[in-house]
DNA sequence: TCCTAAGCGAGACGGTACGTCTTGTCTTCCA
DNA sequence: TGGAAGACAAGACGTACCGTCTCGCTTAGGA
């Protein structure tokens, strides 16, 4: 018996494509990976690839979405509802540690800066939520800029951390992030 | 008179190549620009291109080096010898305003994040110089990370500014940068 | 119905490539024909060309092989088993008349002397077969030279004929070939 | 002293170009030799080449013309005025032996069949002169064809001889040529 | 004796073709 | 019926030559 339902085959195909992509990014960086490479490594037909994804960037982003939804589960799963910016960032560092391999492939130079763009978008949204009630238009620095700054800083720090092979534990990294950003925020809120 | 020495021809060729590249990046982003496009726009032979530059990235970086050397002239030309981090950043914003067109092409998404990498490298070096004497190993946050953070933040802010069509004057941007980063640095030095 | 199997597509592609090559050779001579020309005329992708043939010479020779295998069918189809040199040459002239267009492209200057080389090789082999039993080592002229001479003469005559637009019928040409070559052979065999 | 007149410089340049071409043809065959190769080997500037010759074929033919004028001196120098076809052919074989190196480069495959075409033209003209008085229109084989045949045969034999490293002396080769062609001519003249 | 014109090397240049590589589309075949 | 297989048109890649075009250097033969 042991038949395989169509859906399961589809899931399987997507999984091997993602896995192949991660492998190849780690080997030579996202920019150098071609569709050719991926389908060969994944042992998948050319047309099969294109029936699932528009192009290689689409595959990449789909992988990132998966990762992000795991991150969101991690987030709601373990912290109190109304978390602050630095609760959020802690989860980011912890999550990155849990999935070191994947992060190494996606973050920074290897990931072709593609992930940074998307992660920035999602992170900004979350951070805006945590800050928007404490902020009013009279502040000297627009909320938009502050959020942009915090997201960028977190990603920059994360990238540094991953590319240096996680030399400190997540909690230490988060403490650093806090030391680097909190004083400015506090003084503005004062 | 008006003869053209070999050297001048070479300079001319490089100039039209740079100009063509900038134009094309502004039109469709660095990642979409091909060598084909550039030589066609610049009216330059294919082999001529390759006799000057290894590939399109090489052309891009050569353009960036030009820009950076202008920046360095700007820097030494107008500030006192021992400038601080926020004197430096002010010059960055001013320089970007002077060359809005070029910066628009090179910075951020349009520039394919290529410039960010190199600018980060150069900025970090300059910033490390201004900070290294005030820092000692006992600090909670390593100098390396602080410098990485400052350079990343400045570039992120610069990118935001340019991509939003310079909504504030350079001085205002630098004040914002200072408000976002100085408190943390001060409290660490205290 | 009217489905097209992969194999049929391949055959079709090769056919249009051959046809395009013949056309172009007739227009400007083999030496001037580029791969670019051929694929443009045949409406075929560049890489498709190279997936079928190593280079333009390969395409040319593949066309020649086709022609030669037709010739061999013609040969065994209509003559008695043990044909002599001048039975063979008659078939050559007849075959050239049947495929005037192709021969015009391949033979002589237009064909870049490429076909001559290969045709010489094949013709020599056939002629050696018809002569080798009647020859012995004591002859004043080595068999190798005689065969070389006969093949060269036949090709030269054929070239002249085709380049002068077939002014005589094949039988007349063969009679001429016989008058030019047979007396010497006879006198040697005597 | 030893000044060099302009004319002598020109002669010298042409000579080194010819020499370089011959060397290169012997090394890799005419078809593979580029202008680039020649000027590099001859240590001559690119524009200098083009001020002397239209292209590489022009250089080749100029070399052939030199050789041919040597041949004509050889011809008138040593034979009686009204020579027959086989006196002519003997001189051809002798001349080839005297200039083995050059012939090896020009004749046959190495020479890209270019020389054959021109030599055929010149030889035909000479042979037509020796035969035209003995021929009348009533002959079964047109003079034009006979001449074409004789010239082609001689060149084919010469090519064979040179490409096989001159295994026989010139006189023997000429005797063979005579045996292969004379009987037919005699029987036609009878 | 100067100087002017020519021969030359060097090599930048716009162009064209090469043979390779990758893309995204499409069709057939098999399980 | 979905996926593997792979042919295909399209077009960019980096390389190799082409033939044209300056440019300076050298060196002669006439002023």
């Amino acid at each position: 018996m042991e038949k395989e339902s169509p859906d399961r085959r589809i899931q399987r195909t997507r999984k091997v494509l993602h896995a192949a992509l991660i492998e190849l990014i780690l080997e030579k960086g996202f920019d150098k990976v071609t569709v050719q490479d991926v389908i060969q490594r994944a042992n998948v037909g050319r047309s099969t690839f294109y029936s699932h994804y528009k192009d290689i960037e689409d595959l990449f982003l789909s992988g990132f979405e998966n990762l992000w939804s795991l991150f969101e589960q991690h987030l709601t799963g373990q912290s109190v509802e109304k978390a602050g910016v630095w609760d959020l960032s802690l989860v980011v560092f912890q999550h990155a540690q849990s999935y070191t391999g994947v992060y190494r492939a996606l973050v920074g130079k290897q990931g072709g800066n593609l992930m940074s763009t998307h992660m920035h978008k999602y992170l900004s949204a979350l951070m805006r939520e945590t800050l928007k009630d404490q902020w009013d238009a009279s502040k000297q620095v627009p909320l938009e800029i502050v959020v942009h700054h915090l997201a960028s800083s977190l990603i920059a720090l994360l990238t540094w951390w991953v590319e240096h092979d996680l030399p400190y534990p997540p909690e230490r990294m988060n403490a650093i992030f806090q030391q680097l950003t909190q004083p400015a925020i506090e003084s503005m809120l004062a």
Side-chain angles (χ1 to χ4, degrees), chain A:
Chain A
M1 290 301 149
E2 196 43 18
K3 292 298 178 60
E4 206 180 8
S5 88
D7 276 17
R8 290 204 67 68
R9 291 181 73 190
I10 291 179
Q11 292 317 312
R12 215 193 67 81
T13 297
R14 299 195 169 178
K15 213 168 120 184
V16 296
L17 285 172
H18 281 131
L21 179 60
I22 295 290
E23 273 182 35
L24 287 161
I25 290 178
L26 287 173
E27 287 171 22
K28 47 181 185 172
F30 178 74
D31 294 346
K32 298 274 176 57
V33 178
T34 71
V35 173
Q36 210 75 264
D37 294 333
V38 174
I39 64 180
Q40 186 162 341
R41 179 70 60 100
N43 219 354
V44 146
R46 191 165 188 72
S47 41
T48 307
F49 178 95
Y50 283 103
S51 72
H52 287 291
Y53 302 103
K54 202 170 73 55
D55 52 26
I56 212 174
E57 200 171 308
D58 192 20
L59 170 60
F60 182 98
L61 291 181
S62 130
F64 171 69
E65 303 285 354
N66 288 351
L67 188 63
W68 186 260
S69 74
L70 284 178
F71 169 77
E72 284 187 325
Q73 286 166 30
H74 201 159
L75 194 63
T76 61
Q78 87 172 50
S79 82
V80 282
E81 185 108 305
K82 204 58 194 169
V85 167
W86 298 279
D87 301 316
L88 190 63
S89 59
L90 177 60
V91 181
V92 167
F93 287 112
Q94 288 170 337
H95 192 246
Q97 194 184 42
S98 312
Y99 296 90
T100 313
V102 184
Y103 269 78
R104 217 189 290 278
L106 303 194
V107 140
K109 199 157 40 56
Q110 285 298 81
N113 296 93
L114 229 180
M115 163 157 169
S116 310
T117 310
H118 281 258
M119 189 157 162
H120 193 284
K121 200 171 62 191
Y122 289 144
L123 269 183
S124 307
L126 289 179
M127 285 172 163
R128 177 173 291 107
E129 284 310 300
T130 73
L131 282 179
K132 71 159 188 265
D133 296 335
Q134 304 163 263
W135 219 263
D136 58 69
S138 69
K139 288 285 180 294
Q140 298 143 302
V141 179
L143 176 58
E144 188 189 358
I145 291 185
V146 171
V147 165
H148 189 266
H149 168 73
L150 287 174
S152 300
S153 296
L154 178 51
I155 291 173
L157 206 51
L158 176 65
T159 302
W160 180 91
W161 190 46
V162 169
E163 293 191 335
H164 286 75
D165 289 321
L166 320 196
Y168 307 120
E171 293 72 22
R172 175 78 197 280
M173 287 311 293
N174 197 48
I176 290 175
F177 179 59
Q178 201 160 352
Q179 283 174 283
L180 287 170
T181 53
Q182 198 167 30
I185 306 300
E186 302 274 276
S187 89
M188 288 176 186
L189 288 176

